[in-house]
Amino acid sequence: MNPSMLEVVGTGLFAVAVAHTFLTKYFEHLAHLQPNHAGIWHLLGEVEVVFGFWAFVLLIFMAVTGGASAPTTYLEGLNYTEPAFVFIIMVVAASRPILELCKIGARALARYIPLNDSVAFYFVCLAALPLLGSFITEPAAMTLAALMLRDNFYAKGISHRLKYVTLGALFVNVSIGGTLTHFAAPPVLMVAGKWNWDMWYMLGHFGWKAALAVFVNAGIATFLFTRELKALKVDARSKDRTVPWALIIAHVAFLVGIVYFAHHPIVFVGLFLLFLGVAEGYRHYHDRLMLREGLMVGFFLAGLVTLGALQQWWLQDVLAGMDATALFFGATALTAITDNAALTYLGSLVEGTDEAFRYSLVAGAVTGGGLTVIANAPNPAGFAILRGNFDDEAINPLGLLVTALPPTLVAVLAFQLL
């Protein structure tokens, strides 16, 4: 390894940013202790700001050492399609017409589960919606699941333990639940074309194992908190649709179009602008659009892309030096500190790999996708939606890590033993 000065600085800033994500609650505490400087502490306490903030530090360094054109040239060489897509899909998927359609579907499924309404509805939110991510993309599934869990459970004052167990299971299930197809999960998308993986390959090698793990994880969480869930009032038979079917169908068309053109930002941005016009024209059928939350998540991911591009010098060599088993567990661990899509992309650059290497890389990357907020692109979306229901509006990264470990272990067993 002969890294350049820029790569060394980029790796140092990346490490600082990762550590920063574990300290956001401390900065929020400083904001209360030092009200005169509360603005800067609140800024540093926003998880969604972390990677974007340190990315700007990197760009300033580049401008000072390489001239004003250096950061511009660097940024123009990167691909920011995924941050833009996640922002847009988060806003569209969180619109009231789409949410009402998902509520109708979830309640219909819950009615066929011979359990208490609230227990059945909770299970559906943790099992069916993450698997839906294989078709509407993981960011959309995360947005829908997080919103439905927030409105029906988190907002009703559930226990601290249930909040974190639900969050850990949700993040892991969304990460592995997108592997039934080759186009919905970012870490799969990065390699499917190069390695000629189609839907049937994904179903046969990943999909059925992931689905089994998702149901086990959802079932364990539901079983552990059945008594608490039964005490909540969630009516699975409610029919509270307030949006006309024509508008729901139109929004589904927007969602499908944006997903279909996910790799063509000119097209999906145009569709999004048209969606905004429709939402404004029918504002009485919409709640506030999640523009601020979506932009913050997009900023987080854009910062991750900016810093992550400078990690190839060490990450690719680490991956290339592992056998299949070590690679699986190594990818699971590395995913906790770097985006799993970046991890699989870097692994795809290693030449002469066999089928075992490829399977282990992707399986490990999706398995570890729920351990931290930065592990999987959709995680910041779920984080932004749910964190307002936690103490001090902050989610403890260690709390997430601890509660995500058991469902991650279930995923490990599914992908390694089956």
Side-chain angles (χ1 to χ4, degrees):
M1 301 183 209
N2 294 304
S4 65
M5 175 61 71
L6 180 61
E7 288 174 324
V8 172
V9 172
T11 300
L13 290 175
F14 185 86
V16 170
V18 171
H20 187 166
T21 62
F22 287 87
L23 297 173
T24 52
K25 198 166 184 177
Y26 174 71
F27 288 119
E28 289 291 348
H29 180 63
L30 286 179
H32 295 295
L33 294 179
Q34 302 178 11
N36 291 336
H37 304 288
I40 184 64
W41 299 131
H42 280 307
L43 174 68
L44 295 175
E46 293 277 355
V47 170
E48 296 91 339
V49 170
V50 170
F51 277 86
F53 176 86
W54 291 106
F56 268 99
V57 173
L58 173 69
L59 297 177
I60 292 170
F61 171 81
M62 293 175 68
V64 170
T65 58
S69 63
T72 303
T73 302
Y74 175 71
L75 291 175
E76 288 179 344
L78 300 177
N79 185 351
Y80 290 96
T81 298
E82 185 178 52
F85 173 76
V86 171
F87 157 60
I88 288 174
I89 203 70
M90 186 175 173
V91 175
V92 176
S95 62
R96 198 207 302 176
I98 296 295
L99 271 178
E100 289 204 359
L101 177 63
C102 287
K103 287 178 183 176
I104 292 170
R107 284 176 174 142
L109 284 174
R111 284 200 295 270
Y112 290 100
I113 299 176
L115 296 170
N116 172 276
D117 281 356
S118 58
V119 176
F121 192 74
Y122 176 83
F123 178 81
V124 169
C125 288
L126 276 186
L129 291 179
L131 292 175
L132 188 63
S134 285
F135 305 95
I136 65 171
T137 73
E138 287 186 354
M142 176 67 82
T143 301
L144 292 170
L147 284 168
M148 291 177 69
L149 287 167
R150 182 195 69 184
D151 295 342
N152 292 281
F153 299 98
Y154 280 77
K156 296 185 177 181
I158 59 176
S159 67
H160 196 66
R161 288 178 61 230
L162 179 53
K163 288 178 183 178
Y164 274 99
V165 168
T166 302
L167 185 71
L170 174 65
F171 278 19
V172 174
N173 280 1
V174 168
S175 181
I176 62 177
T179 58
L180 277 70
T181 63
H182 61 293
F183 58 82
V188 175
L189 202 56
M190 290 293 184
V191 300
K194 181 174 182 178
W195 293 342
N196 297 314
W197 288 1
D198 57 16
M199 183 182 294
W200 299 114
Y201 180 92
M202 292 305 301
L203 278 173
H205 291 79
F206 293 89
W208 70 273
K209 301 175 185 179
L212 180 61
V214 164
F215 280 112
V216 170
N217 288 336
I220 291 174
T222 304
F223 174 76
L224 290 175
F225 293 94
T226 297
R227 181 176 299 178
E228 183 175 349
L229 292 169
K230 282 183 177 179
L232 303 175
K233 292 183 179 179
V234 177
D235 186 3
R237 292 162 179 78
S238 173
K239 297 180 180 180
D240 55 355
R241 181 173 60 87
T242 62
V243 180
W245 277 112
L247 193 59
I248 290 177
I249 293 170
H251 279 61
V252 170
F254 278 121
L255 190 65
V256 170
I258 291 168
V259 169
Y260 185 78
F261 291 105
H263 303 295
H264 304 279
I266 293 176
V267 180
F268 71 65
V269 169
L271 286 170
F272 178 62
L273 295 176
L274 180 58
F275 162 82
L276 291 178
V278 172
E280 178 64 21
Y282 292 89
R283 67 171 72 179
H284 49 294
Y285 290 123
H286 287 81
D287 301 316
R288 181 185 67 85
L289 295 178
M290 294 184 65
L291 293 170
R292 176 190 175 278
E293 295 86 346
L295 283 169
M296 292 288 282
V297 169
F299 182 61
F300 178 96
L301 294 173
L304 192 57
V305 169
T306 304
L307 291 172
L310 296 174
Q311 312 313 310
Q312 182 175 347
W313 68 273
W314 65 270
L315 196 53
Q316 190 173 335
D317 287 342
V318 169
L319 295 177
M322 297 180 179
D323 62 29
T325 303
L327 179 62
F328 175 84
F329 290 102
T332 300
L334 285 170
T335 291
I337 59 169
T338 185
D339 177 64
N340 57 8
L343 190 66
T344 57
Y345 169 72
L346 292 174
S348 72
L349 300 179
V350 178
E351 297 298 331
T353 58
D354 58 16
E355 198 64 32
F357 177 96
R358 298 171 183 179
Y359 173 85
S360 296
L361 174 66
V362 175
V366 298
T367 296
L371 293 172
T372 62
V373 69
I374 69 170
N376 193 27
N379 290 0
F383 189 96
I385 291 167
L386 293 173
R387 72 171 189 165
N389 296 98
F390 286 79
D391 296 341
D392 299 325
E393 296 190 1
I395 297 173
N396 188 326
L398 289 177
L400 169 60
L401 179 64
V402 169
T403 52
L405 282 174
T408 298
L409 179 59
V410 171
V412 168
L413 295 175
F415 286 124
Q416 284 291 290
L417 300 182
L418 297 180

